[in-house]
């Protein structure tokens, strides 16, 4: 089964088993015939150790990165990702980069029913690497559309991104495009926020693009106050919320260059807030002065 998707300006072509489940959110990004910047073939299997052994034979492993749910074997030109669920030593998938534009994935057969979940399905594809290669950045954020413009609430998990977006919906009638992620893309007339097929627990996911009016870094506070972040202040706040491969120096440098460009072209604010309408009013007063 051949499927094509588009994320920002990036075309992705997938070759899947005929009976493979695809998450509902992925379907929202299906595209008609288009040039693919990345191709991925996904198969089911029971022996996930063999593709790892084969990669080690073919590619000298220069670096091995260990995370709680991920091992990355990083070679001179390619990588192999061994994906696990937290608390389970057995991998649920092995994702092998065969070239900068081609990836092959073997998924454990028993995981088949779980592929309806967007976080698991998207993890197979290593899309963040292709996005950075295309000049796009994935931002951990609640993506709100206000008067035809995107306002992105960003912060570590459990800080209240979705809560602030919900307050705006309640008191100002705005709409949330994605409750957990946005894709930042530089167009000829400025930065745009595109949708993304992962939306966390919010279950809010739409495939839309709007010009970015502001990025708002949140922290919880008993007092509603806002200030503009500039230069390295903004870079330091924004960088931890961007999805990037910290083990790949080249991609890390490209991502940092893009972050610096965003900081120079998009207003970045820090908002200390509670969960009242006063938090909305505090940000609203600033947004009224931001003209695109």
């Amino acid at each position: 089964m051949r499927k094509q998707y588009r994320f920002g300006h990036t075309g992705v072509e997938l070759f899947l088993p005929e009976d493979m489940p695809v998450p509902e959110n992925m379907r929202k990004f299906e595209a008609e015939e288009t040039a693919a910047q990345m191709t991925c073939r996904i198969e089911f299997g029971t022996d996930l150790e063999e593709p790892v052994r084969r990669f080690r034979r073919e590619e000298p492993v220069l670096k091995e990165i260990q995370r709680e749910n991920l091992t990355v074997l990083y070679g001179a030109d390619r990588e192999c990702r061994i994906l696990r669920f937290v608390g389970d030593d057995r991998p649920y998938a092995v994702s092998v980069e065969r070239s900068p534009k081609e990836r092959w994935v073997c998924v454990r057969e028993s995981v088949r029913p779980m592929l309806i979940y967007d976080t698991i399905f998207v993890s197979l594809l290593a899309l963040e690497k292709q996005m950075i290669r295309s000049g796009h950045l994935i931002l951990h954020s609640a993506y709100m559309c206000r008067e035809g413009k995107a306002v992105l609430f960003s912060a570590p998990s459990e800080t209240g991104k979705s809560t602030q977006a919900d307050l705006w919906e309640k008191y100002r009638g705005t709409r949330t495009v994605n409750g957990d992620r946005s894709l930042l893309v530089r167009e000829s007339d400025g930065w745009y926020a595109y949708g993304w097929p992962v939306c966390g627990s919010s279950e809010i996911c739409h495939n839309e693009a709007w010009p970015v009016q502001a990025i708002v870094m949140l922290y919880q506070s008993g007092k509603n106050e806002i200030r503009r972040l500039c230069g390295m202040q903004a870079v330091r706040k924004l960088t931890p919320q961007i999805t990037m491969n910290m083990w790949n120096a080249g991609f890390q440098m490209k991502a940092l260059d893009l972050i610096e460009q965003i900081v120079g072209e998009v207003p970045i604010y820090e908002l200390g807030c509670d969960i009242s309408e006063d938090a909305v009013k505090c940000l609203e007063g600033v947004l009224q002065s931001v003209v695109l």
Side-chain angles (χ1 to χ4, degrees):
M1 179 170 60
R2 177 174 174 265
K3 293 280 189 178
Q4 289 194 305
Y5 302 88
R6 178 161 290 277
F7 309 102
H9 299 163
T10 304
V12 175
E13 183 177 45
L14 302 185
F15 293 92
L16 312 170
E18 287 293 335
D19 56 350
M20 182 173 182
V22 176
E24 180 182 350
N25 288 340
M26 279 292 293
R27 297 189 189 121
K28 298 173 183 177
F29 294 82
E30 286 188 17
E32 296 180 357
E33 198 70 26
T34 183
Q37 284 73 46
M38 172 189 166
T39 298
C40 183
R41 186 174 297 276
I42 303 177
E43 301 172 1
F44 289 108
T46 54
D47 183 3
L48 272 62
E49 293 182 3
E50 173 53 30
V52 177
R53 289 193 295 265
R54 186 167 63 246
F55 180 84
R56 288 184 180 276
R57 290 195 300 267
E58 297 173 352
E59 186 83 15
V61 176
L62 305 179
K63 189 186 300 184
E64 184 169 328
I65 308 299
Q66 294 283 351
R67 299 285 187 270
E68 188 177 16
N69 61 346
L70 173 70
T71 298
V72 182
L73 307 179
Y74 187 52
D77 300 307
R78 301 185 296 135
E79 68 173 25
C80 172
R81 299 188 181 190
I82 305 165
L83 300 104
R84 298 179 297 274
F85 297 120
V86 175
D88 188 349
D89 291 336
R90 300 173 304 161
Y92 68 82
V94 173
S95 180
V96 179
E97 187 178 36
R98 288 183 163 168
S99 75
K101 291 187 175 183
E102 184 181 8
R103 186 169 286 268
W104 175 85
V105 180
C106 184
V107 183
R108 182 160 29 107
E109 176 64 40
S110 61
V111 176
R112 183 191 297 262
M114 302 181 70
L115 293 177
I116 60 171
Y117 300 110
D118 49 50
T119 50
I120 297 174
F121 188 95
V122 172
S123 72
L124 307 176
L125 310 178
L127 284 179
E128 84 292 333
K129 190 170 185 178
Q130 185 59 51
M131 293 304 105
I132 292 173
R133 184 179 282 121
S134 299
H136 305 350
L137 291 174
I138 303 167
L139 176 64
H140 186 210
S141 57
Y143 171 3
M144 173 181 82
C145 179
R146 170 186 176 269
E147 298 177 357
K149 302 178 183 67
V151 177
L152 309 176
F153 295 106
S154 185
S157 297
E158 308 302 324
T159 303
K161 300 182 301 298
S162 296
T163 299
Q164 290 301 311
D166 290 345
L167 288 173
W168 276 82
E169 285 196 19
K170 177 179 179 180
Y171 293 112
R172 296 297 183 270
T174 59
R175 191 167 54 84
T176 301
V177 176
N178 189 302
D180 197 59
R181 293 287 192 278
S182 56
L183 183 66
L184 300 174
V185 178
R186 183 63 166 83
E187 303 284 10
S188 60
D189 58 342
W191 287 91
Y192 279 65
Y194 279 71
W196 189 248
V198 175
C199 60
S201 60
S202 73
E203 299 184 358
I204 302 172
C205 176
H206 300 288
N207 184 7
E208 299 178 14
W210 299 99
V212 180
Q213 184 179 29
I215 298 174
V216 184
M217 311 303 300
L218 300 176
Y219 67 92
Q220 295 177 353
S221 174
K223 178 182 179 182
N224 293 299
E225 52 189 358
I226 190 167
R227 65 181 181 120
R228 177 83 180 260
L229 298 175
C230 298
M232 287 307 299
Q233 267 190 334
V235 170
R236 283 195 292 268
K237 288 287 185 179
L238 191 59
T239 299
Q241 305 311 319
I242 298 290
T243 305
M244 69 175 85
N245 306 138
M246 299 305 292
W247 60 85
N248 188 315
F251 279 81
Q252 188 177 355
M253 290 305 298
K254 182 165 185 179
L256 289 172
D257 287 343
L258 291 168
I259 292 169
E260 288 182 3
Q261 185 178 359
I262 291 170
V263 166
E265 297 176 345
V266 174
I268 313 290
Y269 296 98
E270 184 178 54
L271 175 66
C273 53
D274 59 17
I275 53 174
S276 71
E277 186 180 4
D278 288 339
V280 173
K281 292 177 180 177
C282 183
L283 175 57
E284 186 175 40
V286 169
L287 292 179
Q288 288 172 347
S289 65
V290 178
V291 180
L292 295 182

